[in-house]
Amino acid sequence: MSKNINFFKNKITETWPGKKGILTEFIFYLKEKLHLSDVSIYVDDYSLSKDEEDSINQFITLKKQEVPLDYILEKSSFYGNNFFVDPRVLIPRPETEILVDFINKLNFQSGELVIDAGTGSGCIGISLAIHNPHIKVYGLDFSKESLEVANKNKNNLKVENFTTIYSDWLSNIEDASCNLIVSNPPYISSKDKHLRDLHHEPLMALTALDNGLADFKTISSQASLKLLKGGMLAFEHGYKQEREVSEILKKNGFKNIETLKDHQSHPRITIGILSN
């Protein structure tokens, strides 16, 4: 005999007592994965098919393993578009939209070149390319698996002015060739306690040496050569790294340094202009 949705609602409530967030994710899963309506979920005594039951049981199994919902759905919403994601790449964070929004308000000239260093899923670079079809955007990554995901998103979203490049940060970019470099590099120390909650995401994209600052130093040093004079370097960083990142930029010839705050009023994005 087939089971109805209330059976599984009760099962989830019993499995995770007091955790309403799991039930909220389950409802979202029913809508996104099984395409069920609010009427089917809340009003009708909807009987599930065998395939639907199997899909729900898979959801429960994965949530017991604490797999993020975005990985279960293989989809994450970012800057108005749905991006394919899986454990090869980080799940896009809402605060990163602040970085994209800032850059999208700049006055780009036709043909200018923007670099997304450490592109991952491509969410930053592709979002910039979509909103600025007259510029060229290169998404760089040292992980070939990440580039596969970025290319999948490029094709899914039909973005022609975004190109992926295999590169150890900026090493494969010509000197004095680009107008803006944006990066959300790994910035968590390997000793950070928050890593315990991120065990399904790629460690390579999360942690960096030198207390999380190593990649800021590498990128800033390379960017001082790859950018045209007057070009911009924009970083997303940890909320306690504003001072260190600003100092790194200054030491590498950047001026007019400013920091933007995230939705919790934490310093999250630091920007500098390469001195002429």
Side-chain angles (χ1 to χ4, degrees), residues 170-178 222 224-228:
L170 306 172
S171 59
N172 289 338
I173 298 298
E174 292 182 7
D175 288 355
S177 64
C178 48
Q222 292 178 342
S224 66
L225 301 175
K226 308 301 179 180
L227 281 166
L228 293 160

Side-chain angles (χ1 to χ4, degrees), residues 8-187:
F8 285 103
K9 283 184 186 176
N10 292 332
K11 183 176 181 178
I12 286 172
T13 301
E14 292 168 2
T15 304
W16 291 278
K19 292 189 176 181
K20 295 182 180 180
I22 302 293
L23 185 58
T24 300
E25 288 191 355
F26 175 59
I27 299 300
F28 189 77
Y29 179 83
L30 293 176
K31 294 179 179 181
E32 290 291 313
K33 189 72 173 182
L34 303 185
H35 307 295
L36 297 182
S37 66
D38 284 339
V39 172
S40 296
I41 295 170
Y42 295 108
V43 180
D44 289 348
D45 189 20
Y46 183 82
S47 295
L48 297 158
S49 68
K50 178 63 167 57
D51 287 344
E52 288 172 333
E53 285 188 31
D54 289 345
S55 180
I56 290 173
N57 282 320
Q58 177 71 357
F59 168 85
I60 292 172
T61 298
L62 292 173
K63 288 312 297 181
K64 285 180 179 178
Q65 298 169 12
E66 299 182 343
V67 176
L69 180 61
D70 294 55
Y71 285 157
I72 296 174
L73 293 171
E74 295 189 329
K75 181 170 65 174
S76 190
S77 177
F78 182 83
Y79 212 76
N81 288 294
N82 287 323
F83 285 81
F84 172 85
V85 293
D86 65 18
R88 292 175 289 179
V89 298
L90 294 180
I91 296 169
R93 268 45 174 192
E95 56 263 27
T96 305
E97 293 189 353
I98 299 171
L99 174 59
V100 173
D101 203 40
F102 172 84
I103 295 171
N104 276 335
K105 292 175 182 176
L106 300 176
N107 185 26
F108 288 108
Q109 301 300 308
S110 180
E112 288 191 340
L113 175 59
V114 171
I115 303 294
D116 174 17
T119 194
S121 66
C123 64
I124 293 176
I126 289 173
S127 297
L128 295 175
I130 289 172
H131 285 79
N132 301 278
H134 56 294
I135 68 172
K136 296 181 290 184
V137 182
Y138 290 165
L140 278 52
D141 213 295
F142 192 61
S143 165
K144 292 182 178 179
E145 289 187 334
S146 293
L147 292 178
E148 289 173 1
V149 175
N151 280 319
K152 184 179 180 71
N153 283 315
K154 165 189 166 74
N155 294 330
N156 287 348
L157 295 168
K158 298 179 173 58
V159 186
E160 295 183 358
N161 59 325
F162 175 83
T163 304
T164 60
I165 297 176
Y166 176 73
S167 181
D168 185 2
W169 293 123
L170 306 172
S171 59
N172 289 338
I173 298 298
E174 292 182 7
D175 288 355
S177 64
C178 48
N179 304 90
L180 183 146
I181 296 168
V182 58
S183 185
N184 179 15
Y187 55 72

